[in-house]
C-alpha cells in the first residue's frame, strides 16, 4: 500500500434501480454491490491483478433486537466471480445477502455482535481460529469455532 489514493463516484437513477431490482427480485443494495463488484474486477484487471475467485465485501447491518441504542454488525460475504455475467453476479450476491439476513433473524443481536467482533479480530491479529461461546439461559449454551481462510 502507498499514500497514493484515488476517488471516483457515479450517480445512478434510483427509480430505474428500484425497477431493475424488482424485475430481478433484488434490492437496490444488491444491485449496487453487483456494480461495485464489476467495477473492482475491472479496476484490478486493468492493473494486471486478475482475481480468480470472489472479492469479499463488508456489509453493515442494523440489528433489529438491539437494546440500548443502535447495534450494527459488519458481515462479510463473497461477491461474484470475475468471469461471471452480470446476472450471474447479481444472483450470487442476492443469494448471499439473503442468506445473511435470514441468518441474522435466527440469532440475537448479542450473538451476531460477538461473531462479528471475533471475525474482525482474527483478521486484525493474523490468527486462523477463534472460539465464541454464548450462554443461552436455562442451562443452555452454544460454542462456535470460526476458521479464517
Amino acid at each position: 500500500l502507498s499514500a497514493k489514493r484515488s476517488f471516483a463516484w457515479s450517480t445512478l437513477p434510483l427509480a430505474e434501480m428500484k425497477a431493475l431490482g424488482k424485475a430481478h427480485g433484488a434490492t437496490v443494495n444488491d444491485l449496487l454491490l453487483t456494480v461495485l463488484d464489476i467495477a473492482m474486477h475491472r479496476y484490478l484487471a486493468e492493473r494486471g491483478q486478475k482475481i480468480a475467485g470472489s472479492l469479499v465485501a463488508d456489509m453493515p447491518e442494523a440489528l433489529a433486537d438491539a437494546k440500548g441504542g443502535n447495534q450494527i454488525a459488519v458481515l462479510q460475504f463473497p461477491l461474484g466471480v470475475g468471469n461471471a455475467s452480470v446476472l450471474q453476479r447479481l444472483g450470487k450476491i442476492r443469494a448471499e445477502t439473503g442468506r445473511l439476513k435470514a441468518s441474522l433473524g435466527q440469532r440475537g443481536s448479542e450473538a451476531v455482535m460477538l461473531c462479528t467482533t471475533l471475525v474482525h479480530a482474527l483478521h486484525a491479529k493474523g490468527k486462523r481460529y477463534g472460539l465464541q461461546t454464548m450462554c443461552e439461559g436455562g442451562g443452555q449454551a452454544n460454542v462456535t469455532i470460526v476458521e479464517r481462510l
Side-chain angles (χ1 to χ4, degrees), residues 23-118:
H24 292 283
T27 66
V28 170
N29 284 339
D30 294 336
L31 294 172
L32 292 175
L33 288 166
T34 302
V35 169
L36 290 170
D37 183 40
I38 293 167
M40 283 302 301
H41 273 278
R42 284 184 185 165
Y43 177 83
L44 293 170
E46 288 170 1
R47 285 151 183 78
Q49 299 178 18
K50 284 202 164 202
I51 305 296
S54 299
L55 296 171
V56 176
D58 279 354
M59 178 176 73
E61 187 70 28
L63 302 174
D65 67 339
K67 295 168 184 63
N70 292 335
Q71 283 186 335
I72 297 175
V74 179
L75 308 173
Q76 295 180 328
F77 63 95
L79 297 173
V81 293
N83 59 354
S85 72
V86 173
L87 289 178
Q88 288 171 326
R89 287 175 196 255
L90 176 59
K92 185 170 187 282
I93 289 168
R94 189 182 71 225
E96 287 292 336
T97 58
R99 182 185 62 78
L100 282 173
K101 289 176 183 178
S103 175
L104 282 178
Q106 299 169 359
R107 293 166 174 76
S109 62
E110 290 85 7
V112 174
M113 288 298 296
L114 279 172
C115 190
T116 299
T117 302
L118 176 59

